Amino acid sequence: MNKREFLKAGLLMGAAAQLPLSSTAKDIEFKKHQKKHKNWIWARPNQRDKDDDLKTRYASFKAAGITGLFFEYDSERHFRAAKAAGLEAHRWVWTMNWPDLVSTHPDWYSKNRKGESCADKPPYVNYYRWLCPSREEVQQYLEKYVSDTLDKDYVDGIHLDYVRFCDVILPVNLWDNYHIEQTKELPEYDYCYCDVCKAKFKEEYGTDLNDIQYPEASLSWRLFRYNAITRIVNNLSAVAHQHKKIITASVFPTPEIARRNVRQDWTNWKLDGICPMTYHGFYKEKVTWIGDAVTEGIHFLNGSFPLYAGLYLSDFKSDDELGQGIRLALQNGASGVSFFGNVTSNVLAILSRELAKPIA
């Protein structure tokens, strides 16, 4: 089961300025971002693809209004074919969920409120192995990985995914699949309570986490974890900008949901673009909710960087619904959309049609 199947079953502009912008400069920069929509596809390179097929496919993407691709795997052939078609080619990477290091660095992994490490007892599914963001060695490992990735001349930028804590609360559409009712924060899904996190929390706030009767209700403890992820992201952003390349991220659909469900405070990140996964079906919402989600994100970003609404194609029951979803995203301030799923010629035609319409 891959990561998106679990969720269902279960960017972008040039590198951001290094100096903080004044509110006036922010407004000008935001308007510049809004002048032209940019649209993206999350993609998995298939080594069986033929070069001629890639040329045709990527040309059709470009003609329909797609700006670039987030490639989940490194494939120089796919990256260069996309770039030859005039598309941006970005490397899409898992960030905090990193199953491959369990055997070599089991101590790097997060522990839940019960003291269980996801190195040997992963929550929900077997590949859910979350690194602890408070550990300096984790930060250094991720920085090197991003730097090595961006050293490649065919990679235009880095796109972060799973840049958060484990889901303390799943989207409501998944509760039946896992026989869970998460109307409150259950200890087995609440991370990270390792010794490093506890020690750093005490150093920063002067409070021993073990002395807090209900840590899940502690505002300081919650903020500490928001900031731990934000620090990871902003350090990776500095790495990307040192390479003069851009950095974007996939995130939970709204600032409120992101903070509540996965301790992800993405409106305070230093990015060049964000792709909130406004997957309405996951939350048992109607297509119109996409507009509400985009509105909330745009409000709290306050022009910091562009927002590209993530659309899960399988959630749309008709062509009209997909067109409505794209239109709602753009009308409510999104700088474009990002598609996850099977991007067919029909999907491209709908995108092209919607982009040709004036934004009401």
Side-chain angles (χ1 to χ4, degrees):
M1 178 180 291
N2 66 45
K3 61 182 179 180
R4 300 288 179 174
E5 288 169 345
F6 159 61
L7 285 174
K8 180 61 179 174
L11 151 162
L12 305 169
M13 310 305 294
Q18 298 302 303
L19 296 176
L21 297 173
S22 67
S23 58
T24 301
K26 273 187 175 182
D27 291 341
I28 294 171
E29 188 68 16
F30 185 58
K31 289 176 181 176
K32 284 169 59 181
H33 285 316
Q34 297 296 311
K35 286 182 180 178
K36 183 179 179 182
H37 291 111
K38 303 183 79 175
N39 304 288
W40 311 87
I41 295 173
W42 285 290
R44 295 189 177 101
N46 187 336
Q47 295 304 326
R48 292 174 293 184
D49 288 333
K50 299 184 182 303
D51 290 344
D52 287 346
D53 292 338
L54 290 179
K55 184 176 180 179
T56 301
R57 181 190 308 161
Y58 295 153
S60 70
F61 288 175
K62 179 70 174 178
I66 296 297
T67 304
L69 297 103
F70 303 131
F71 286 114
E72 189 170 16
Y73 310 119
D74 186 4
S75 171
E76 182 174 353
R77 186 166 64 93
H78 286 77
F79 277 67
R80 292 200 183 280
K83 290 168 69 68
L87 300 170
E88 296 181 27
H90 297 247
R91 179 71 166 85
W92 164 23
V93 299
W94 292 25
T95 310
M96 301 311 300
N97 183 17
W98 204 286
D100 297 342
L101 298 173
V102 170
S103 61
T104 54
H105 299 287
D107 54 316
W108 288 9
Y109 285 83
S110 290
K111 291 184 177 181
N112 62 23
R113 201 177 343 138
K114 297 172 70 175
E116 299 166 336
S117 172
C118 59
D120 49 38
K121 193 168 183 178
Y124 304 117
V125 288
N126 190 55
Y127 69 82
Y128 249 34
R129 314 281 182 139
W130 297 88
L131 297 173
C132 170
S134 295
R135 293 178 178 268
E136 295 301 323
E137 56 268 47
V138 168
Q139 177 73 63
Q140 293 166 9
Y141 182 89
L142 293 174
E143 288 179 8
K144 185 178 186 308
Y145 184 83
V146 167
S147 181
D148 290 347
T149 299
L150 294 177
D151 276 341
K152 299 170 182 176
D153 68 312
Y154 56 85
V155 177
D156 292 321
I158 199 84
H159 182 72
L160 308 178
D161 198 359
Y162 282 121
V163 57
R164 56 183 179 83
F165 283 90
C166 174
D167 317 61
V168 66
I169 298 175
L170 291 171
V172 66
N173 197 39
L174 305 182
W175 292 4
D176 289 344
N177 296 321
Y178 295 93
H179 309 291
I180 302 171
E181 289 187 4
Q182 291 180 322
T183 54
K184 63 180 181 179
E185 297 184 4
L186 303 174
E188 56 266 46
Y189 307 113
D190 185 16
Y191 291 83
C192 172
Y193 287 75
C194 76
D195 291 342
V196 173
C197 282
K198 289 180 179 180
K200 289 195 172 183
F201 176 74
K202 184 174 182 179
E203 179 182 352
E204 184 170 347
Y205 287 93
T207 301
D208 190 327
L209 190 64
N210 294 326
D211 293 337
I212 299 177
Q213 184 177 5
Y214 300 108
E216 67 273 25
S218 168
L219 300 182
S220 297
W221 176 231
R222 190 175 296 264
L223 181 61
F224 172 84
R225 288 178 289 175
Y226 295 164
N227 291 342
I229 295 295
T230 296
R231 183 171 54 253
I232 290 277
V233 173
N234 290 346
N235 286 345
L236 295 180
S237 177
V239 172
H241 293 156
Q242 286 167 7
H243 284 75
K244 301 188 184 306
K245 296 183 178 181
I246 64 178
I247 181 169
T248 57
S250 302
V251 294
F252 269 50
T254 71
E256 188 271 333
I257 293 172
R259 287 190 294 266
R260 182 189 68 211
N261 287 23
V262 293
R263 322 300 191 203
Q264 186 184 64
D265 188 19
W266 51 262
T267 60
N268 284 311
W269 296 355
K270 297 176 181 178
L271 297 177
D272 303 303
I274 201 86
C275 297
M277 297 178 290
T278 53
Y279 298 171
H280 60 286
F282 287 17
Y283 302 90
K284 296 188 176 181
E285 295 288 347
K286 296 179 180 178
V287 176
T288 52
W289 177 79
I290 293 170
D292 297 333
V294 168
T295 297
E296 182 183 332
I298 292 293
H299 172 75
F300 285 103
L301 282 175
N302 192 30
S304 297
F305 45 78
L307 180 152
Y308 308 100
L311 304 180
Y312 189 76
L313 293 175
S314 296
D315 275 348
F316 296 94
K317 299 181 176 64
S318 67
D319 292 353
D320 286 344
E321 276 200 358
L322 178 57
Q324 181 188 17
I326 296 170
R327 189 162 57 254
L328 285 166
L330 300 181
Q331 287 176 344
N332 285 281
S335 295
V337 296
S338 309
F339 291 129
F340 184 83
N342 184 21
V343 181
T344 64
S345 58
N346 190 50
V347 170
L348 295 175
I350 295 169
L351 173 65
S352 182
R353 182 188 71 205
E354 294 301 329
L355 291 176
K357 295 179 180 179
I359 299 175

